[in-house]
Amino acid sequence: MTGSGVLIPRERNPLLLVLSGPSGSGKDSLIECLGRRGLDIFRVVTVTTRPPRPGEIPGRDYVFVSTEEFERLRAGGQLLEYAQVYGHWYGTPKEPVRQALARGQDVLLRVDVQGARAVRQLCPGAVLIFLTPPTEEELVRRLKARRTESPAEVARRLQKVREELAALPMFDYVIINYPDRLEEAAAQFEAIVTAEHLRVNPRRVCLD
């Protein structure tokens, strides 16, 4: 008599995916590409005190708030992580993360390396992915093409990149975002998600 039970029962735990990398690595472009490809993932929008750049849409790219409002969120324990970068505050609201995980939905955070380190400490089960251009020259080209930073700011960001690369061993995966090969980077990101859901010992994410 043949049994009808599942040979290998599987438990599908939602993932907390953390995408980080230097300014100009293409994090926003990658996220947009993943959306076009139909990846079922909940992206948590970062809160920031910096003013919007040309073309940025409040609520989609960032939640733009005053310094006073940011401090209220921080003091009330409503931020999963927060950091000051180039004179402005950035933080990840905690409640949307908790709600999405409770629904069983994979969650994506877009944070800088400081934020990734904070998430790793709070949630050891998070999946940390580092996105980077192939060369320093390509990174400089992308920063200059944005036309949002002065030459001095580009130099400062480049120095920060060198510091951020020292934190690479903290991450689980690295994706190299080559010019004109964004779809390849997106496919690699999707492959990471698939592999993580096939782990024999799945990751577990717990938020206080």
Side-chain angles (χ1 to χ4, degrees):
M1 180 176 179
T2 302
S4 59
V6 176
L7 181 62
I8 302 178
R10 292 206 57 81
E11 179 182 1
R12 189 189 187 283
N13 290 336
L15 301 172
L16 180 57
L17 299 150
V18 179
L19 178 63
S20 189
S23 296
S25 61
K27 296 184 291 295
D28 290 330
S29 296
L30 177 60
I31 291 171
E32 290 176 6
C33 186
L34 292 170
R36 292 193 299 270
R37 291 167 66 95
L39 182 63
D40 183 18
I41 199 166
F42 180 79
R43 186 207 165 189
V44 178
V45 181
T46 299
V47 177
T48 183
T49 61
R50 79 158 171 78
R53 292 178 181 145
E56 288 184 332
I57 299 176
R60 186 198 70 179
D61 299 301
Y62 288 92
V63 175
F64 299 99
V65 299
S66 65
T67 301
E68 292 75 19
E69 175 64 10
F70 191 95
E71 175 58 26
R72 187 187 68 79
L73 294 172
R74 187 199 64 77
Q78 298 181 50
L79 298 177
L80 178 64
E81 58 80 28
Y82 55 89
Q84 190 175 37
V85 183
Y86 303 122
H88 300 291
W89 287 98
Y90 295 79
T92 301
K94 185 184 295 184
E95 192 57 29
V97 178
R98 183 183 286 113
Q99 291 178 1
L101 291 173
R103 294 193 301 267
Q105 192 170 12
D106 293 339
V107 176
L108 174 61
L109 309 184
R110 175 202 178 283
V111 301
D112 73 341
V113 171
Q114 291 183 66
R117 183 177 290 107
V119 174
R120 172 64 86 205
Q121 293 173 348
L122 292 170
C123 307
V127 182
L128 271 56
I129 303 169
F130 191 88
L131 184 70
T132 179
T135 65
E136 189 173 287
E137 290 76 15
E138 172 63 15
L139 179 63
V140 171
R141 186 193 68 79
R142 294 181 189 182
L143 289 173
K144 289 181 177 179
R146 296 197 311 194
R147 298 182 180 178
T148 57
E149 290 94 2
S150 68
E153 289 172 330
V154 169
R156 182 174 60 169
R157 288 181 182 273
L158 190 57
Q159 178 58 39
K160 184 174 177 62
V161 168
R162 294 165 181 154
E163 296 171 0
E164 289 173 334
L165 286 172
L168 192 58
M170 171 182 69
F171 288 80
D172 301 298
Y173 301 93
V174 60
I175 296 176
I176 299 177
N177 186 15
Y178 292 94
D180 302 317
R181 289 163 61 179
L182 185 61
E183 288 287 341
E184 180 180 321
Q188 291 177 355
F189 188 99
E190 291 177 344
I192 291 169
V193 174
T194 298
E196 285 293 333
H197 279 302
L198 294 176
R199 288 172 63 103
V200 173
N201 298 304
R203 298 176 189 257
R204 290 175 172 79
V205 179
C206 299
L207 293 182
D208 294 333

